[in-house]
Amino acid sequence: MIVAKFGGTSVSSKGSVLTLCNIVANELGRQPVVVVSALKGVTDLLLSLSTLPENKIEKKIREIRKIHKNLIVSLWNDKRLQSETFLYINSKLNEILQLIMKAEPGREFLDKLVSFGEIMSSYIITRALESKGMKAEQVISTDLIVTNNNFGSAEFLVESTKRKTQKILTPLVKTGVVPVVTGFIGATRSGQTTTLGRGGSDYTASIVGYCLKAEEIQIWTDVDGVFTADPRLVKNARSLPIVSFKEASELAAFGARVLHSRTIRPAISAGIPVRVLNTFNPKNHGTLIVEKSRASGKAKAVSFKRKIILVNIYSTEMLRQKGFLAKIFKVFANNNISIDLVSVSEVSVSVSVDDKKNLEMAVKELAEFSHVSVIEDMGMVSLIGEDITSSTKTIRRVFEILDKEKVLARMVSLSAANINISIVVESDKVEKAVKALHDKLLLK
Ligand code: ADP
Ligand code: ASP
Ligand code: MG
């Protein structure tokens, strides 16, 4: 059994959907389970509905309808197939309208609202596979993936998800049916729709792969695999044939959008290789992510994040105190804030976070026992590679390069796990730093 996930661009045009159908047809011998994202741009459009005044909503819905209609019309000449599919899309758009009219605003509502993107795309892809002579069935993942109630970035509950996923998907694949699973969404125990965070369809694929003990998880996207840097920003970045689980996790967590940050975890625990492949260049080998790749002691890739927030916490209470750091981290944990980097001196602690959610509350609590300052709109640049910090040469070169570019490091973190060098810089210096580090350290 394999799991093949197709991202937004891979399900949005006639050409890519036909390629998807070919890929699935070629893999029928390995019992593929397909996972799909919403059509490109649809998740953003759905989210925007939540903030629009009532008189603008119809227009936005028309935009969403048009994206789906264009695809449907381009895919088939068969009028009956076209109208059945269009009828389904229209019924979902009506459900969206009703939801907006009666729902209370909040995260629960937003998750329910955006879930329609994947629900609509999975229907189209199911019909596309059928039209190519395959047996396929749409599966809405609220029936498979049980999550906690952290709306917007929910975490799956292992045992119940495993039970449901196996119960629903195994009989399908055993009878030669290709399940087409909605990415990105799950449901709480009580059945409320949740989402796994932006880009979460990758995570769905790896959760499903983990539950079914798949032999491989394929992430089909719009580039030739995992690159040495985001190819959109760095034109001479190159695709990496092989990276380790650890390197891929670290890259994803430190900003490389090609994989959702939690994708690799289930794959690691079940030892399932992950392949990142290009729907627009399907013959390319892409990137294979496996347990071990050759550690070279050098940087393999550079990633970046924007909109980083630095929180500096000062207190003389810290001097030779025990438990002060625990007190600080407890505040972040209690407010459900995930910390990226930490740097500690005798009387201060600096942490970087990438989400403003709950931050105000945390700062208030920290201010009860320390002096706190918050610096917004910073950027973070990370160099990733196993054994990267084992050579003094790499570290020296990083600072030489930044010095030459006149980029000031506001905070630095060398992971003791020897895989990541991260530097917080002014937001408008991110691009310069990424390009310079890539040119000098990653171009052969
Ligand atoms: P999908 O919709 O298929 O999930 P995404 O847009 O989420 O696609 O992810 C693919 C994009 O990730 C690429 O188009 C690329 O711009 C970006 N990206 C960022 N960093 C990297 C990297 N290191 N390697 C490859 N792609 C990257
Ligand atoms: N459609 C969702 C998003 O845009 C999930 C995904 O594409 O992976 O974030
Ligand atoms: Mg993605």
Side-chain angles (χ1 to χ4, degrees):
M1 198 179 297
I2 63 159
V3 179
K5 175 260 171 176
F6 294 86
T9 40
S10 302
V11 295
S12 290
S13 64
K14 178 182 178 178
S16 60
V17 173
L18 293 182
T19 308
L20 178 159
C21 291
N22 278 334
I23 291 165
V24 176
N26 289 335
E27 291 285 14
L28 284 179
R30 292 210 287 171
Q31 300 183 312
V33 174
V34 170
V35 174
V36 290
S37 289
L39 266 56
K40 188 175 158 60
V42 168
T43 304
D44 287 332
L45 285 170
L46 286 168
L47 276 174
S48 74
L49 285 171
S50 66
T51 52
L52 281 182
E54 227 179 297
N55 60 353
K56 298 255 165 67
I57 286 177
E58 280 279 354
K59 186 165 171 255
K60 225 13 128 199
I61 298 257
R62 276 205 296 279
E63 230 177 286
I64 300 172
R65 176 180 292 114
K66 191 151 176 240
I67 292 175
H68 292 87
K69 189 174 180 185
N70 287 347
L71 178 63
I72 292 166
V73 170
S74 72
L75 272 179
W76 309 300
N77 293 324
D78 180 341
K79 289 281 180 253
R80 202 176 64 123
L81 183 51
Q82 277 188 12
S83 67
E84 276 174 16
T85 311
F86 197 44
L87 210 66
Y88 181 88
I89 300 300
N90 269 332
S91 76
K92 292 300 148 191
L93 293 172
N94 280 336
E95 283 181 40
I96 291 172
L97 261 179
Q98 278 161 22
L99 174 76
I100 294 171
M101 248 119 66
K102 61 171 205 264
E104 299 274 325
R107 260 324 321 184
E108 284 94 329
F109 158 64
L110 283 182
D111 278 6
K112 179 80 190 166
L113 181 64
V114 286
S115 73
F116 283 98
E118 271 69 12
I119 292 174
M120 293 190 284
S121 66
S122 57
Y123 185 85
I124 300 178
I125 299 304
T126 306
R127 302 302 307 251
L129 292 170
E130 283 173 350
S131 74
K132 292 288 171 195
M134 288 174 259
K135 287 196 279 180
E137 191 170 312
Q138 182 191 28
V139 178
I140 311 292
S141 54
T142 46
D143 292 334
L144 308 179
I145 297 183
V146 187
T147 72
N148 62 13
N149 61 0
N150 187 15
F151 293 91
S153 186
E155 192 47 87
F156 81 107
L157 306 175
V158 179
E159 287 314 318
S160 30
T161 302
K162 227 189 219 170
R163 208 175 332 108
K164 288 192 165 194
T165 302
Q166 287 173 357
K167 189 164 168 231
I168 294 177
L169 296 185
T170 309
L172 290 176
V173 291
K174 281 209 166 133
T175 51
V177 176
V178 179
V180 181
V181 180
T182 54
F184 186 43
I185 58 183
T188 61
R189 280 188 202 286
S190 63
Q192 268 186 301
T193 301
T194 52
T195 61
L196 308 174
R198 292 307 303 267
S201 300
D202 301 333
Y203 195 32
T204 310
S206 82
I207 295 171
V208 170
Y210 166 84
C211 293
L212 299 178
K213 299 193 179 70
E215 60 185 90
E216 181 171 292
I217 297 163
Q218 300 176 346
I219 306 291
W220 289 89
T221 182
D222 56 4
V223 288
D224 283 340
V226 177
F227 279 61
T228 48
D230 184 343
R232 259 178 238 217
L233 184 75
V234 181
K235 293 296 165 224
N236 51 5
R238 50 196 167 81
S239 168
L240 294 159
I242 191 157
V243 300
S244 71
F245 279 144
K246 274 196 205 152
E247 288 166 336
S249 296
E250 207 75 12
L251 267 172
F254 284 81
R257 203 182 63 195
V258 65
L259 286 174
H260 176 275
S261 62
R262 283 177 276 158
T263 306
I264 298 297
R265 231 165 38 203
I268 293 182
S269 67
I272 305 169
V274 178
R275 228 178 248 285
V276 181
L277 295 150
N278 189 354
T279 312
F280 301 86
N281 186 16
K283 290 217 164 67
N284 188 280
H285 292 298
T287 298
L288 180 64
I289 305 170
V290 284
E291 185 119 22
K292 280 241 161 303
S293 80
R294 208 162 48 90
S296 56
K298 291 185 189 144
K300 263 207 176 144
V302 54
S303 61
F304 63 93
K305 277 188 182 183
R306 296 190 197 274
K307 297 202 181 128
I308 293 294
I309 305 155
L310 267 186
V311 184
N312 298 315
I313 303 142
Y314 312 85
S315 174
T316 44
E317 232 193 89
M318 247 182 105
L319 281 164
R320 282 179 201 85
Q321 265 246 10
K322 292 187 185 69
F324 191 78
L325 285 178
K327 203 164 150 185
I328 289 175
F329 292 136
K330 206 165 162 200
V331 172
F332 285 97
N334 288 346
N335 285 288
N336 209 7
I337 298 172
S338 149
I339 294 173
D340 276 338
L341 303 180
V342 184
S343 154
V344 183
S345 80
E346 192 63 25
V347 288
S348 75
V349 181
S350 300
V351 305
S352 79
V353 299
D354 66 0
D355 194 347
K356 269 176 104 167
K357 197 173 146 198
N358 302 342
L359 193 60
E360 207 176 311
M361 191 63 207
V363 168
K364 221 165 159 185
E365 288 172 27
L366 290 166
E368 284 168 20
F369 59 89
S370 57
H371 176 73
V372 192
S373 72
V374 176
I375 310 173
E376 289 191 31
D377 202 26
M378 301 297 287
M380 178 167 65
V381 179
S382 305
L383 283 157
I384 313 288
E386 294 221 27
D387 283 350
I388 188 172
T389 50
S390 58
S391 142
T392 50
K393 200 169 149 213
T394 310
I395 300 168
R396 194 189 72 221
R397 289 284 292 137
V398 168
F399 289 102
E400 276 171 6
I401 294 163
L402 294 179
D403 180 42
K404 189 145 178 272
E405 297 293 326
K406 307 230 169 340
V407 176
L408 180 68
R410 299 287 297 260
M411 179 173 169
V412 178
S413 161
L414 303 178
S415 78
N418 205 355
I419 191 163
N420 177 328
I421 300 174
S422 284
I423 304 131
V424 174
V425 301
E426 305 288 336
S427 187
D428 60 355
K429 296 283 184 341
V430 168
E431 202 169 319
K432 201 175 183 189
V434 168
K435 285 181 173 161
L437 289 167
H438 185 268
D439 275 5
K440 305 272 162 36
L441 294 173
L442 290 153
L443 277 187
K444 285 222 178 82

